[in-house]
Amino acid sequence: MKDFKQKVVVITGAASGIGLCLANSFAARGANLVITDLNQEALDKVKNELESNNTKVIAVPADVRKFEQVNAVANAAFSEFGQVDVLINNAGVFTAPKFTWECDENEWDFHLDINLKGVINGVRAFMPRILEQGNKAHIVNTASLAGHVVEPCFGPYHASKFGVVAISESIKLELEMLGNTDIKISVACPGFVKTGLLGTQKGFEVADGDPLATIKENFTAGFDGRGLDGSEVALQIIKTIEDENFYLFTHDFSQEILNHRMSPIIKGESAGLRDDQIESYGVEKIQQMMINN
């Protein structure tokens, strides 16, 4: 898909971060937009700004954890525009580090319900109708580099993002099995991006003095220092749709990290901690603090 003029683009998590940047980028290309987010006030603000620039847009507040609300977004999209050309399941959250065995039910549900079930609900609500409409369309599921490689102490986040990758690959194979060449699917796997993602840690903060605070500091520094602007990632996603590529890895360092994980796996081994993880996470400091505690 090369031309987005008058195409109908649906974006979840559109009131901030990558979702907001995608909305602005598609609007600049003449698309009609269906935007959704849990934050209605922020969503209404985005809608007003887009309409002030002559973009046709409908905004439907929804909690992606709840199928009936995502389905209501689909109902609104098809009722208003009659079709959907691009669906971007983008809404996501990320919390502070914790040992996997110490994560409580709320932390598991927070990640799996939004990051993973949100994508599932988007696929369930839209895919049957996209298949039925019979024209070319493209679905993008936002995963993460964390859907392929593992950092210590972010177990629930990784589980959710690995799940998004698996679902996306499954859909691709299923479309091939059906012989459907009209619907394309991509999975976006960004590294650090300068968005409000760290703000979703509210309620899951690392306590002062917690040995894992060093990991949080590393990630904060990573977002600040190595993070791409959301607008740049949005452009990469649009280019991925134009080129009909399946995977999008946004950062130059992705290949090296992927190789570090996959090469040992092929040999039946575990990748283990990378040198940069040992250094930046202060592993020796964490070990000593745990002994002292």
Side-chain angles (χ1 to χ4, degrees):
M1 190 180 301
K2 301 290 187 182
D3 183 7
F4 298 102
K5 190 172 183 179
Q6 298 302 308
K7 293 293 193 295
V8 180
V9 180
V10 180
I11 306 169
T12 71
S16 63
I18 295 173
L20 174 57
C21 294
L22 282 165
N24 289 328
S25 295
F26 277 111
R29 287 161 175 75
N32 299 318
L33 296 178
V34 180
I35 58 174
T36 183
D37 199 280
L38 184 60
N39 187 331
Q40 181 164 1
E41 182 179 353
L43 190 66
D44 290 341
K45 181 181 179 182
V46 173
K47 180 178 185 292
N48 292 336
E49 291 175 350
L50 290 169
E51 287 180 332
S52 69
N53 291 316
N54 299 316
T55 297
K56 188 171 184 180
V57 53
I58 60 172
V60 186
D63 184 342
V64 296
R65 294 172 287 190
K66 300 177 180 179
F67 173 75
E68 64 274 14
Q69 294 192 24
V70 179
N71 199 46
V73 178
N75 289 339
F78 282 93
S79 175
E80 178 70 23
F81 295 112
Q83 67 183 58
V84 168
D85 301 290
V86 178
L87 167 65
I88 304 182
N89 292 307
N90 169 73
V93 293
F94 174 85
T95 65
K98 184 178 285 189
F99 292 116
T100 301
W101 54 88
E102 293 181 350
C103 295
D104 63 22
E105 186 174 1
N106 290 333
E107 288 163 295
W108 283 103
D109 288 347
F110 187 64
H111 287 91
L112 296 178
D113 285 353
I114 297 175
N115 293 350
L116 180 56
K117 194 174 179 181
V119 172
I120 293 170
N121 286 337
V123 169
R124 287 183 60 210
F126 283 90
M127 192 66 166
R129 287 183 255 201
I130 290 175
L131 284 165
E132 185 178 347
Q133 71 188 13
N135 60 299
K136 293 183 180 295
H138 202 119
I139 297 171
V140 179
N141 295 329
T142 301
S144 169
L145 183 57
H148 298 270
V149 297
V150 177
E151 306 290 335
C153 301
F154 295 101
Y157 183 72
H158 285 293
S160 67
K161 293 302 186 179
F162 268 72
V164 172
V165 170
I167 289 168
S168 303
E169 290 191 355
S170 293
I171 294 171
K172 182 179 186 297
L173 294 177
E174 289 155 9
L175 289 170
E176 289 179 5
M177 184 177 71
L178 293 174
N180 188 311
T181 59
D182 288 332
I183 302 174
K184 305 299 182 182
I185 184 165
S186 301
V187 56
C189 304
F192 294 120
V193 184
K194 295 177 181 178
T195 67
L197 190 62
L198 289 176
T200 62
Q201 294 182 4
K202 186 176 181 181
F204 301 98
E205 295 89 348
V206 175
D208 291 341
D210 190 315
L212 300 186
T214 56
I215 296 181
K216 180 180 179 180
E217 291 168 4
N218 168 265
F219 263 78
T220 301
F223 279 101
D224 292 342
R226 304 176 74 183
L228 297 176
D229 289 335
S231 56
E232 183 174 346
V233 174
L235 293 178
Q236 290 193 39
I237 290 174
I238 290 174
K239 183 70 162 53
T240 297
I241 296 171
E242 291 175 338
D243 294 344
E244 297 184 348
N245 291 330
F246 179 74
Y247 272 125
L248 168 62
F249 294 100
T250 58
H251 288 63
D252 292 339
F253 59 74
S254 298
Q255 187 66 54
E256 179 182 351
I257 294 176
L258 287 167
N259 285 337
H260 180 272
R261 171 174 164 78
M262 293 308 301
S263 295
I265 286 177
I266 293 170
K267 301 174 185 177
E269 302 170 359
S270 171
L273 286 167
R274 303 189 306 271
D275 290 342
D276 65 296
Q277 291 172 323
I278 294 172
E279 179 180 358
S280 61
Y281 289 176
V283 170
E284 293 182 0
K285 179 182 177 182
I286 291 173
Q287 291 171 347
Q288 188 60 50
M289 290 178 72
M290 295 300 292
I291 291 172
N292 293 339
N293 288 343

